[in-house]
Amino acid sequence: MTSLTARKKELETRLQALTARIQATEAELLSHDAKDWEELAIQREGDEVLEQVGLGAQEEMRAIKAALVRIEEGEYGHCQKCGAEIGKARLDLLPFTPFCKDCAP
Ligand SMILES: [Zn+2]
Protein backbone atom coordinates (compact mmCIF):
# COMPACT_ATOMS: atom_id res chain seq x y z
CA MET A 1 0.00 0.00 0.00
CA THR A 2 1.47 3.38 -0.94
CA SER A 3 1.41 6.16 1.60
CA LEU A 4 -1.11 7.99 -0.55
CA THR A 5 -3.45 5.00 -0.53
CA ALA A 6 -3.08 4.81 3.24
CA ARG A 7 -3.83 8.52 3.47
CA LYS A 8 -6.91 8.12 1.30
CA LYS A 9 -8.15 5.31 3.51
CA GLU A 10 -7.51 7.41 6.59
CA LEU A 11 -9.53 10.29 5.13
CA GLU A 12 -12.38 8.00 4.07
CA THR A 13 -12.54 6.43 7.52
CA ARG A 14 -12.62 9.89 9.10
CA LEU A 15 -15.37 10.96 6.68
CA GLN A 16 -17.49 7.96 7.65
CA ALA A 17 -17.02 8.67 11.35
CA LEU A 18 -18.04 12.30 10.83
CA THR A 19 -21.10 11.29 8.81
CA ALA A 20 -22.16 8.99 11.63
CA ARG A 21 -21.57 11.73 14.17
CA ILE A 22 -23.63 14.27 12.24
CA GLN A 23 -26.46 11.78 11.88
CA ALA A 24 -26.35 11.05 15.61
CA THR A 25 -26.32 14.78 16.38
CA GLU A 26 -29.30 15.41 14.12
CA ALA A 27 -31.19 12.52 15.66
CA GLU A 28 -30.43 13.92 19.09
CA LEU A 29 -31.68 17.37 18.09
CA LEU A 30 -34.85 15.93 16.57
CA SER A 31 -35.56 13.89 19.68
CA HIS A 32 -35.69 17.15 21.61
CA ASP A 33 -38.71 18.40 19.70
CA ALA A 34 -42.19 18.34 21.15
CA LYS A 35 -41.25 18.35 24.79
CA ASP A 36 -42.68 20.66 27.43
CA TRP A 37 -41.41 24.20 27.73
CA GLU A 38 -39.58 23.86 31.02
CA GLU A 39 -37.47 21.01 29.74
CA LEU A 40 -36.98 22.80 26.46
CA ALA A 41 -35.35 25.79 28.15
CA ILE A 42 -32.80 23.55 29.84
CA GLN A 43 -32.13 21.67 26.65
CA ARG A 44 -31.68 24.79 24.57
CA GLU A 45 -28.13 25.27 25.78
CA GLY A 46 -27.26 21.66 25.13
CA ASP A 47 -28.71 21.96 21.64
CA GLU A 48 -26.49 24.92 20.88
CA VAL A 49 -23.47 22.86 21.82
CA LEU A 50 -24.73 20.03 19.61
CA GLU A 51 -25.24 22.43 16.73
CA GLN A 52 -21.68 23.68 17.12
CA VAL A 53 -20.44 20.11 17.01
CA GLY A 54 -22.48 19.57 13.87
CA LEU A 55 -21.10 22.69 12.20
CA GLY A 56 -17.51 21.80 13.01
CA ALA A 57 -18.04 18.30 11.68
CA GLN A 58 -19.60 19.60 8.45
CA GLU A 59 -16.71 21.96 7.89
CA GLU A 60 -14.23 19.14 8.42
CA MET A 61 -16.21 16.92 6.03
CA ARG A 62 -15.96 19.56 3.32
CA ALA A 63 -12.20 19.77 3.85
CA ILE A 64 -11.85 15.98 3.73
CA LYS A 65 -13.91 15.68 0.55
CA ALA A 66 -11.74 18.37 -1.07
CA ALA A 67 -8.62 16.47 0.04
CA LEU A 68 -9.99 13.26 -1.54
CA VAL A 69 -10.51 15.15 -4.82
CA ARG A 70 -6.90 16.38 -4.64
CA ILE A 71 -5.74 12.79 -4.17
CA GLU A 72 -7.63 11.82 -7.34
CA GLU A 73 -6.09 14.73 -9.21
CA GLY A 74 -2.59 13.99 -7.96
CA GLU A 75 -2.34 17.33 -6.18
CA TYR A 76 -2.59 16.03 -2.66
CA GLY A 77 0.27 16.90 -0.34
CA HIS A 78 1.08 20.14 -2.11
CA CYS A 79 0.13 23.54 -0.77
CA GLN A 80 -2.81 25.06 -2.68
CA LYS A 81 -1.33 28.51 -2.21
CA CYS A 82 2.43 28.32 -2.80
CA GLY A 83 2.73 24.81 -4.25
CA ALA A 84 5.30 23.67 -1.70
CA GLU A 85 5.21 20.12 -0.47
CA ILE A 86 3.34 19.79 2.83
CA GLY A 87 5.41 18.00 5.46
CA LYS A 88 4.47 14.49 6.54
CA ALA A 89 4.25 15.50 10.20
CA ARG A 90 1.72 18.18 9.29
CA LEU A 91 -0.31 15.78 7.17
CA ASP A 92 -0.29 13.27 10.01
CA LEU A 93 -1.82 15.94 12.21
CA LEU A 94 -4.15 17.49 9.61
CA PRO A 95 -4.50 15.02 6.74
CA PHE A 96 -7.08 17.22 4.99
CA THR A 97 -5.15 20.50 5.10
CA PRO A 98 -4.74 22.22 1.72
CA PHE A 99 -1.97 24.51 2.97
CA CYS A 100 1.62 24.19 4.13
CA LYS A 101 2.42 25.49 7.58
CA ASP A 102 3.61 28.82 6.18
CA CYS A 103 0.38 29.48 4.28
CA ALA A 104 -2.07 28.15 6.86
CA PRO A 105 -4.49 30.87 7.92
ZN1 LIG B 1 2.25 27.18 1.10
Side-chain angles (χ1 to χ4, degrees), residues 36-94:
D36 66 63
W37 286 105
E38 221 172 307
E39 239 182 292
L40 215 62
I42 299 163
Q43 274 174 356
R44 188 61 64 200
E45 275 180 54
D47 282 358
E48 271 167 28
V49 172
L50 281 176
E51 274 162 20
Q52 283 303 317
V53 168
L55 283 178
Q58 272 163 9
E59 235 165 76
E60 194 177 337
M61 278 176 76
R62 260 198 300 276
I64 291 174
K65 281 178 187 167
L68 286 167
V69 169
R70 290 198 301 279
I71 288 178
E72 293 301 322
E73 291 172 348
E75 286 173 14
Y76 181 80
H78 290 273
C79 177
Q80 296 294 286
K81 202 164 165 185
C82 72
E85 205 169 315
I86 303 171
K88 184 183 177 299
R90 182 168 163 77
L91 286 177
D92 281 342
L93 206 65
L94 296 164

Side-chain angles (χ1 to χ4, degrees), residues 79 81-84 99-100 102-103:
C79 177
K81 202 164 165 185
C82 72
F99 301 120
C100 71
D102 295 329
C103 297

Side-chain angles (χ1 to χ4, degrees), residues 5-21:
T5 312
R7 198 65 86 181
K8 188 178 172 190
K9 194 148 177 42
E10 185 187 344
L11 286 165
E12 282 169 346
T13 305
R14 180 82 184 132
L15 195 60
Q16 277 167 7
L18 283 167
T19 306
R21 196 165 97 194

